[in-house]
Amino acid sequence: MKFSKKECAFFTGHRDVWIAKSEPGIKWLINCARAKGIQHFYCGMALGVDQQAARILIDWNLSWTAVIPCGDQDKFWTNEQKEKYQQLLKLAPSKKVLYPKYEPGVMQA
């Protein structure tokens, strides 16, 4: 299914967040977006806000795409972080990998 720009929203955030404190805000943002007609979300899949948003979108059974800046995004993460990341990717309805491997600028793409 194709969505227009007016029907989509994107999550990208900081990785150093208190997940328990950020969850209510993320839920509020999702509800605000849905009230404005947003039907699909994109998540940058970084540690922190991105992955917390992905978890909420999964729990709420909403339409979303994992936008992966590079195929080796999790290269320097801990094993636990990699495991959680892979679980989220398995549950992503769709995935978009922007670059095959890390190079300067891919995280900003």
Side-chain angles (χ1 to χ4, degrees):
M1 177 180 290
K2 288 242 179 193
F3 296 95
S4 74
K5 289 181 183 179
K6 292 181 181 180
E7 298 168 320
C8 301
F10 194 100
F11 274 99
T12 185
H14 202 276
R15 54 186 100 166
D16 293 329
V17 296
W18 294 95
I19 296 300
K21 289 185 178 182
S22 66
E23 185 174 337
I26 294 169
K27 288 179 177 179
W28 180 80
L29 288 169
I30 292 170
N31 282 326
C32 286
R34 293 178 69 207
K36 292 186 180 281
I38 300 298
Q39 298 178 27
H40 189 79
F41 296 85
Y42 292 90
C43 288
M45 299 309 295
L47 299 170
V49 169
D50 296 16
Q51 290 187 16
Q52 183 64 22
R55 285 185 196 96
I56 294 166
L57 294 168
I58 290 165
D59 290 347
W60 290 3
N61 198 31
L62 296 174
S63 177
W64 69 285
T65 298
V67 181
I68 304 158
C70 54
D72 57 353
Q73 178 179 16
D74 63 350
K75 183 177 181 176
F76 297 109
W77 296 355
T78 67
N79 286 336
E80 182 182 352
Q81 291 168 330
K82 288 179 182 185
E83 237 176 77
K84 289 179 181 178
Y85 175 71
Q86 291 303 321
Q87 289 171 357
L88 289 173
L89 290 181
K90 284 180 187 174
L91 296 171
S94 62
K95 300 171 205 67
K96 173 72 175 164
V97 179
L98 302 180
Y99 295 89
K101 64 180 185 157
Y102 178 80
E103 58 185 77
V106 300
M107 298 304 177
Q108 291 74 32

